[in-house]
Amino acid sequence: MTEKKDDNLQKKNTYLLDDSFSPTNLTTKIVLLYVILGFIWIIVSDLAVNLLFGEAGNSQLVQSIKGVFYIIATAFVFFIVIKRSMQIYSMAISELKQAYTELDVSHKISLELDEKLYKLAYYDSLTGLPNKVLLENTVNQYILQHPDDGLIGFVYFDIDEFSNINEVKGHSFGDELIIEIAKYLKKEIKAPNMLARIGGDEFVLALFDIDHLDQFIPQVEKYTHIIRRTYLLDEDDFFVTFSSGVALYPDHGKDYITLLRHSDAAQSIAKAKGKDQIVIFDDEMVTIIKQQTELLNQLRHAISNKEFSLHYQPIINLRDDQPVGVETLIRWQHPIKGFIPPLEFISLSEKNGFIKEISEWVFKEVATQYETWDSEGKQFRIAINISAVMLMSEPFIPYVNEWVKLNHLDSSKITLEITETAIIDDIQKSIHVLKQLKKLGFIIALDDFGTGYSSLTYLQKLPIDIIKIDRSFINNIKPNTEEFHVLRYMIELAHHLNLTVIAEGIETIEQANMVKKYEVDFAQGYFFCRPMPQTRVLEYFKEINPR
Ligand code: C2E
Ligand code: CA
Ligand code: CA
């Protein structure tokens, strides 16, 4: 098949390219033929006439007939020669025409291909929005054209809890959500402004048409409000919010890279401040981000460098002031910086995916500790703080299941402390996960109770055993204030729901007496005992309860 095609192509090329088909060549050929035919005719026809008619051949009539024959014969020969040449010419012309059409088609195809390549290079295939490259080119070009009088509002925004959606509903739903968001915004953003998708759930909005800075933030707020809404994905409603960071050209950066970096930094701050907000870049942020990056780099080596340790804070039964168990609290002893409190690195490691390693390290340590205490005949409860990220990740349940089996633990002696903020984002899923944990025999405590939103309303729905009233709540309490009544109501409600109540952060005897009076079951705090290293725990238990 292809050979045949090649053959045709070669033929085509011979018609088109053969030099012998030039007009001069053909004319020379015909003239030469004419001369040769003329000579041959003169010699052959005279000979033939002489042979046939002898002297009579010289007569006027025979000469005229001879002339007529000559004309007929040459006309016939020329007819064939010219016809053949013309045929070849017309074939060549039609080939030429066809070649031209083909050239035209292939030109069109190559134009289309060019366009496709352009799209691939400059547009995001999922949303059809401009990509990073086009954004960078556009911003650079603008800056070149407006070195002194330009103004760009650079807004970096990112979907809050996107990884959660991806994890719960799968990546195709995540993609669908991104497409939806892009659709809503596309309608609003008009040239010269540009909305680009620059990564997974990250978009950048570059506004080139700002006249006054005071109009700029309301404009950004307007856009965020359009997409801050409920999206229906696979018959489930998802309320989606955004964290945005703003950097301005030329104030916060004189080139694309700096603008991107600084708006991203502001966006991280918006996330850290509790998400769902817009933060404008300032110079302090660079320092914060630098410090965080540095801390994260050091955190990565903390496990292998054995810089982590666990401390334990006793939990006291308020009826007899005897310890009933301990809460595990992680400590990071940095070789240069010294002690770094968990609140400074836990949320950082949650954001950077490092929390899994840390949590698994904690679980391993607790298992070893449990065995030591168990062999000493001390079987008190151990409470472990569980990060929200871990709790909501799919492999968590199988992991703790394996952990209990492998280490022959009695799960009814293990309390898992879960913060309110961890479950509030997705109550339904939380209930499901907590139920599974309870099935495995764990005790569940709701940590930091009283700091969240509508704590009391969903308390009844959650499969939990303990609530831990937050330190801040205890600290601020004064008799007969509103908080005071809320606290009393909380305790009553918890007891009504058969929940154990632990008061955290008891620092003074007054606080201890107050929580005793209101029938709080257990308490923790510096008043009773500070968190202590594992080596001290057994001593403490012996001192307090020598039996
Ligand atoms: P938390 O779970 O609420 O732990 C109680 C915190 O209060 C501890 O702080 C403890 O040292 C402190 N505390 C206890 N009694 C008193 C008191 O009377 N007065 C005052 N001012 N503070 C008291 P720490 O160890 O800095 O831990 C802070 C938070 O870090 C914990 O809050 C917990 O949410 C988190 N955390 C600690 N260890 C871990 C861990 O292993 N994994 C995870 N995911 N989070 C942890
Ligand atoms: Ca806790
Ligand atoms: Ca707490």
Side-chain angles (χ1 to χ4, degrees):
M1 187 76 180
T2 40
E3 259 171 42
K4 213 171 173 188
K5 223 176 173 181
D6 286 350
D7 254 16
N8 281 342
L9 210 74
Q10 225 159 19
K11 239 191 214 163
K12 228 186 268 173
N13 287 345
T14 27
Y15 288 139
L16 291 174
L17 301 175
D18 196 338
D19 282 347
S20 63
F21 288 106
S22 76
T24 325
N25 277 357
L26 186 68
T27 320
T28 319
K29 241 186 194 175
I30 293 172
V31 169
L32 263 175
L33 196 67
Y34 172 76
V35 171
I36 293 164
L37 276 177
F39 276 119
I40 292 172
W41 181 262
I42 289 167
I43 296 163
V44 175
S45 66
D46 280 354
L47 262 172
V49 168
N50 258 344
L51 268 174
L52 288 171
F53 305 104
E55 277 304 300
N58 287 335
S59 74
Q60 188 64 40
L61 182 70
V62 173
Q63 286 302 319
S64 294
I65 292 169
K66 207 176 89 179
V68 170
F69 267 104
Y70 176 72
I71 288 167
I72 292 170
T74 47
F76 180 69
V77 170
F78 285 132
F79 174 78
I80 290 171
V81 171
I82 292 171
K83 189 188 161 201
R84 224 182 83 79
S85 302
M86 288 318 251
Q87 257 175 348
I88 290 171
Y89 267 120
S90 84
M91 264 157 94
I93 284 168
S94 73
E95 295 289 0
L96 208 67
K97 268 187 191 161
Q98 200 186 332
Y100 185 78
T101 330
E102 276 170 18
L103 203 71
D104 199 37
V105 170
S106 74
H107 181 63
K108 267 185 199 144
I109 291 174
S110 77
L111 278 184
E112 274 168 24
L113 210 70
D114 269 1
E115 204 180 302
K116 272 188 195 147
L117 283 176
Y118 179 83
K119 278 214 154 147
L120 270 179
Y122 293 113
Y123 288 85
D124 166 46
S125 55
L126 185 69
T127 57
L129 289 175
N131 65 11
K132 237 181 186 169
V133 185
L134 185 54
L135 178 75
E136 181 170 0
N137 288 354
T138 315
V139 170
N140 283 342
Q141 210 169 2
Y142 177 91
I143 292 175
L144 261 179
Q145 287 164 356
H146 303 85
D148 304 315
D149 62 336
L151 190 59
I152 311 175
F154 207 86
V155 191
Y156 192 114
F157 62 95
D158 180 292
I159 306 172
D160 294 331
E161 308 301 341
F162 183 70
S163 50
N164 237 348
I165 295 175
N166 255 346
E167 198 150 306
V168 177
K169 300 296 290 180
H171 288 269
S172 55
F173 288 98
D175 284 356
E176 219 175 282
L177 176 66
I178 289 187
I179 294 171
E180 283 283 292
I181 292 166
K183 230 193 271 168
Y184 277 106
L185 269 188
K186 244 189 226 171
K187 277 188 240 155
E188 300 296 321
I189 316 290
K190 303 271 178 297
N193 298 335
M194 178 178 272
L195 173 72
R197 177 172 177 230
I198 59 161
D201 63 331
E202 288 147 3
F203 299 85
V204 164
L205 175 60
L207 299 177
F208 300 97
D209 68 345
I210 328 167
D211 296 326
H212 293 287
L213 273 183
D214 355 343
Q215 294 161 5
F216 168 61
I217 290 297
Q219 199 175 341
V220 175
E221 275 168 349
K222 187 188 97 186
Y223 293 137
T224 335
H225 266 99
I226 291 169
I227 46 174
R228 185 187 181 278
R229 61 199 299 283
T230 306
Y231 293 83
L232 183 74
L233 296 177
D234 187 32
E235 295 175 353
D236 270 346
D237 282 340
F238 278 89
F239 188 74
V240 177
T241 61
F242 297 84
S243 297
S244 318
V246 171
L248 293 163
Y249 166 84
D251 289 16
H252 302 143
K254 294 203 178 354
D255 56 69
Y256 168 79
I257 294 294
T258 314
L259 286 168
L260 187 74
R261 203 152 30 93
H262 288 175
S263 57
D264 183 20
Q267 183 267 141
S268 314
I269 304 287
K271 282 248 147 114
K273 277 183 158 179
K275 302 170 184 163
D276 192 15
Q277 54 193 292
I278 300 168
V279 167
I280 302 173
F281 176 81
D282 67 49
D283 290 332
E284 250 174 55
M285 286 176 192
V286 181
T287 326
I288 296 175
I289 301 286
K290 255 194 207 148
Q291 282 169 348
Q292 285 194 343
T293 320
E294 204 183 313
L295 201 67
L296 189 72
N297 284 337
Q298 292 158 346
L299 201 56
R300 287 185 206 286
H301 302 114
I303 292 184
S304 52
N305 291 350
K306 299 200 164 42
E307 289 164 14
F308 286 135
S309 65
L310 286 186
H311 276 210
Y312 301 88
Q313 185 177 39
I315 299 170
I316 312 295
N317 187 340
L318 289 176
R319 268 193 213 136
D320 55 8
D321 284 349
Q322 293 296 310
V324 288
V326 286
E327 176 182 0
T328 313
L329 296 160
I330 194 166
R331 297 289 173 260
W332 179 15
Q333 193 63 35
H334 190 275
I336 297 157
K337 290 186 179 148
F339 171 69
I340 298 169
L343 285 176
E344 264 181 48
F345 65 86
I346 292 286
S347 72
L348 183 70
S349 51
E350 281 176 340
K351 268 182 250 155
N352 291 283
F354 195 60
I355 190 67
K356 186 167 176 278
E357 258 175 85
I358 295 181
S359 304
E360 290 182 1
W361 178 86
V362 171
F363 273 106
K364 266 194 207 112
E365 276 294 302
V366 170
T368 315
Q369 208 44 63
Y370 182 97
E371 207 184 304
T372 318
W373 289 334
D374 199 37
S375 64
E376 299 258 345
K378 297 284 177 192
Q379 277 205 339
F380 37 78
R381 282 194 199 164
I382 304 178
I384 307 172
N385 289 290
I386 307 295
S387 141
V389 175
M390 287 303 288
L391 181 76
M392 291 303 185
S393 71
E394 292 301 336
F396 184 64
I397 303 284
Y399 175 81
V400 285
N401 191 14
E402 230 2 71
W403 175 71
V404 167
K405 278 192 196 150
L406 219 73
N407 298 292
H408 313 288
L409 305 173
D410 177 357
S411 55
S412 70
K413 293 277 185 296
I414 313 274
T415 304
L416 302 181
E417 294 195 3
I418 283 122
T419 60
E420 222 184 338
T421 37
I423 50 177
I424 200 119
D425 282 341
D426 190 344
I427 299 273
Q428 287 316 317
K429 189 179 178 200
S430 306
I431 291 176
H432 176 71
V433 173
L434 295 182
K435 272 187 180 157
Q436 279 179 286
L437 288 174
K438 274 189 70 93
K439 234 188 234 167
L440 294 177
F442 292 107
I443 310 285
I444 309 291
L446 188 61
D447 207 349
D448 302 346
F449 189 77
T451 54
Y453 320 72
S454 50
S455 321
L456 298 173
T457 54
Y458 62 77
L459 198 55
Q460 335 183 16
K461 291 193 218 155
L462 293 173
I464 54 172
D465 307 284
I466 299 172
I467 61 164
K468 296 187 78 173
I469 299 174
D470 194 65
R471 186 175 78 230
S472 62
F473 215 88
I474 304 283
N475 271 349
N476 300 327
I477 243 99
K478 293 197 175 58
N480 289 323
T481 54
E482 199 179 327
E483 287 89 355
F484 177 78
H485 294 295
V486 173
L487 176 67
R488 283 195 60 184
Y489 176 63
M490 261 185 196
I491 298 165
E492 270 171 34
L493 180 74
H495 281 156
H496 179 71
L497 295 169
N498 280 329
L499 301 175
T500 302
V501 181
I502 303 182
E504 284 188 314
I506 302 296
E507 291 181 347
T508 63
I509 188 157
E510 288 80 19
Q511 287 170 342
N513 286 336
M514 179 185 70
V515 290
K516 266 183 195 169
K517 193 172 157 198
Y518 295 111
E519 293 178 343
V520 168
D521 306 286
F522 302 151
Q524 262 176 282
Y526 295 170
F527 173 71
F528 301 103
C529 191
R530 282 180 179 260
M532 57 183 116
Q534 152 260 314
T535 45
R536 275 277 296 132
V537 178
L538 277 181
E539 279 172 42
Y540 168 81
F541 271 76
K542 276 180 195 151
E543 273 165 32
I544 210 116
N545 183 0
R547 280 166 286 157

